[in-house]
Amino acid sequence: MKRLFAPAAALVLALAFCLASCTSSKGGGHSYQEDGYFVQLNLERKDLLIDGETLSVQAFDQLMDELHGLLNGLEDKFSLEIDASDLSRVNAADAGEWVPVSEDTVALLEMSHAFTELTGGKFTPALFPLTELWGFAPSDAGHYNDSRPEPAADMLAAAKAVSDLSLFSWEGNAVSKAENGAALDFGGIAKGYMCDAVVSYIGQKYAGRDIDAIVNLASSNSAYLGLKRDGDVSRGYNIGIDNPRRLSTGITEGLYLVGVSEAAVTTSADNYRYYIDGDRIYSHIIDAETGKPADRGIISVTVVVPNAAHTNPGTFADSLSTAAFCMPLTQALQFFERLAEQYGIGAVIITRDFRYYTVGDITAMNRKEFAQYCNDFLGSNYNVDSIADVFTKGDLASAGDEIEPCEAELAYIARVKEILN
């Protein structure tokens, strides 16, 4: 199978400077969105510059219409909410039946196979039987947060037995599976692929011209093209990393990436599609090794993939952020250290003891540090002492796999339970 790697040559105390000097990994502002499982595109006219100039309103609206059609077309292929989609038809087919699919679906299967091998099976799109069993499928929308008992052991074993990418084969533009009940879900990779598709479309439409842009898809997947232009000054983009504990802390962005350019950025966190039972958060991210929601002490993973590192950097970043959730912390850190050396990839991992770890050639700053940076280099005048940090920088050398929730984490869980009840 073809490998697609290309070697690389808030509410309370929300920082006002975030709005002026950095973009968020959560998106925001003018958006162009359709109801659907995947299609949520945020692209602001002021953030899209062609040869240093903004597009006319007419030209920008025309572009957005074209991108809307592109993304809806991909959703028609990937969405499990659409009965006629490629994935829905593959999942509904009998074992041994060959199902015709699109080139995009085959491309995602090929990349998924490569990513599954690269991550030692920590990422795989074949976990939908387990996703359904744990109540995180699209059909469970509106009930993701409902507390519920764990599935029975025999049901878990049965679902785990058919949650294996090796059960799927593809030849040309047709897919078959070896076992009834096996099912695919591109939820951990499709948003990155769709973000890549938007970037590719813009690049082809304005080929040969300088492009500066911020593209955000489904809140968690972004692409940063060119540089941030402030008058005559150009610099890398400053990006706020969403605080997955904002419900209790009241702070929207917990950390910041500084000086990012020509890269895809993806954040996976446990505060989207989850429920709480006892003092445990059950996330929608399923650990293929255990067949259960990931429980490695990690609450957020942000991955930065340079555009030069892969032909589909957003897709790659999406898969990596999912995979790291299912690794012990030390394994995840070592994994990203290898990727940093090989591809220039960077990562920020936040754990439930409210520590964060940075790997690779990226600059991650805490809230106070970022405020001081804005004062020193962006002409701001913030009272640094009045700004509260959420997370504490962890020491890579002393990181361990046994991560106990800190008091702030337990307070967050108690707060969420109070809200849900």
Side-chain angles (χ1 to χ4, degrees):
M1 295 180 183
K2 183 180 178 183
R3 298 299 178 83
L4 299 179
F5 289 105
L11 300 183
V12 179
L13 292 175
L15 303 185
F17 57 77
C18 295
L19 302 178
S21 61
C22 80
T23 63
S24 173
S25 62
K26 252 183 89 66
H30 170 76
S31 65
Y32 193 82
Q33 180 172 320
E34 282 289 308
D35 290 336
Y37 193 46
F38 290 123
V39 179
Q40 299 172 356
L41 172 66
N42 183 301
L43 176 61
E44 295 193 11
R45 178 170 167 262
K46 68 180 179 62
D47 290 328
L48 173 62
L49 303 179
I50 307 300
D51 291 332
E53 302 291 335
T54 56
L55 295 175
S56 68
V57 172
Q58 181 178 3
F60 181 75
D61 287 346
Q62 176 62 36
L63 172 64
M64 297 306 291
D65 284 340
E66 293 166 4
L67 294 175
H68 165 253
L70 170 69
L71 292 175
N72 271 5
L74 291 174
E75 185 177 24
D76 286 344
K77 300 169 185 177
F78 303 150
S79 176
L80 295 178
E81 292 184 340
I82 299 173
D83 291 340
S85 74
D86 288 354
L87 260 60
S88 291
R89 290 184 295 106
V90 169
N91 291 350
D94 292 329
E97 179 183 350
W98 286 93
V99 180
V101 298
S102 66
E103 292 181 0
D104 289 298
T105 296
V106 172
L108 267 182
L109 278 170
E110 290 180 340
M111 281 188 281
S112 293
H113 183 269
F115 298 153
T116 299
E117 287 193 344
L118 178 72
T119 63
K122 297 299 184 180
F123 166 82
T124 171
L127 301 180
F128 191 63
L130 289 164
T131 297
E132 283 190 305
L133 182 65
W134 285 94
F136 292 118
S139 60
D140 298 303
H143 298 282
Y144 297 140
N145 302 128
D146 295 351
S147 181
R148 47 195 179 268
E150 292 193 2
D154 59 339
M155 297 177 66
L156 183 62
K160 194 168 181 283
V162 291
S163 295
D164 188 338
L165 188 58
S166 68
L167 295 175
F168 293 87
S169 303
W170 52 98
E171 295 179 3
N173 282 2
V175 178
S176 179
K177 60 188 181 186
E179 296 284 347
N180 288 325
L184 295 168
D185 177 8
F186 285 157
I189 194 172
K191 296 182 292 295
Y193 185 84
M194 296 170 87
C195 194
D196 286 333
V198 170
V199 170
S200 177
Y201 189 91
I202 294 173
Q204 292 177 23
K205 187 177 180 71
Y206 300 104
R209 303 173 69 178
D210 290 333
I211 302 172
D212 304 296
I214 303 170
V215 177
N216 181 277
L217 198 89
S219 299
S220 57
N221 298 71
S222 300
Y224 297 88
L225 306 179
L227 296 168
K228 174 70 175 177
R229 303 198 184 195
D230 292 324
D232 295 332
V233 179
S234 296
R235 56 173 173 79
Y237 296 95
N238 298 330
I239 305 166
I241 297 178
D242 182 43
N243 172 20
R245 298 301 180 252
R246 62 186 180 274
L247 274 178
S248 61
T249 64
I251 296 173
T252 301
E253 294 170 333
L255 300 169
Y256 300 87
L257 294 172
V258 175
V260 177
S261 64
E262 291 298 321
V265 179
T266 294
T267 295
S268 293
D270 67 355
N271 61 331
Y272 167 71
R273 275 197 289 161
Y274 67 93
Y275 70 92
I276 293 177
D277 188 64
D279 288 330
R280 179 182 167 186
I281 297 172
Y282 289 77
S283 168
H284 71 287
I285 300 175
I286 303 297
D287 188 329
E289 181 180 340
T290 65
K292 300 179 179 183
D295 186 26
R296 306 286 186 167
I298 293 171
I299 65 175
S300 174
V301 180
T302 297
V303 179
V304 180
V305 176
N307 290 345
H310 196 276
T311 53
N312 290 82
T315 316
F316 196 15
D318 207 1
S319 70
L320 293 176
S321 66
T322 302
F325 246 91
C326 303
M327 298 179 183
L329 177 61
T330 56
Q331 181 183 349
L333 294 174
Q334 292 167 4
F335 177 68
F336 281 121
E337 285 172 353
R338 292 195 300 272
L339 293 179
E341 292 179 3
Q342 189 170 5
Y343 300 108
I345 287 170
V348 180
I349 299 176
I350 305 175
T351 51
R352 63 186 172 201
D353 56 1
F354 275 39
R355 298 184 184 277
Y356 73 96
Y357 301 85
T358 303
V359 179
D361 188 20
I362 58 174
T363 301
M365 293 185 178
N366 223 322
R367 291 167 53 81
K368 281 182 178 290
E369 186 181 7
F370 184 68
Q372 188 63 57
Y373 165 85
C374 289
N375 287 348
D376 293 343
F377 299 105
L378 301 181
S380 304
N381 186 25
Y382 299 105
N383 182 353
V384 176
D385 292 337
S386 69
I387 295 167
D389 287 333
V390 180
F391 305 109
T392 301
K393 187 173 180 63
D395 179 17
L396 292 173
S398 61
D401 295 333
E402 297 299 323
I403 305 170
E404 295 297 325
C406 62
E407 290 186 8
E409 174 74 348
L410 295 175
Y412 166 78
I413 293 173
R415 175 60 177 152
V416 174
K417 289 169 68 174
E418 178 185 337
I419 292 172
L420 295 178
N421 293 333

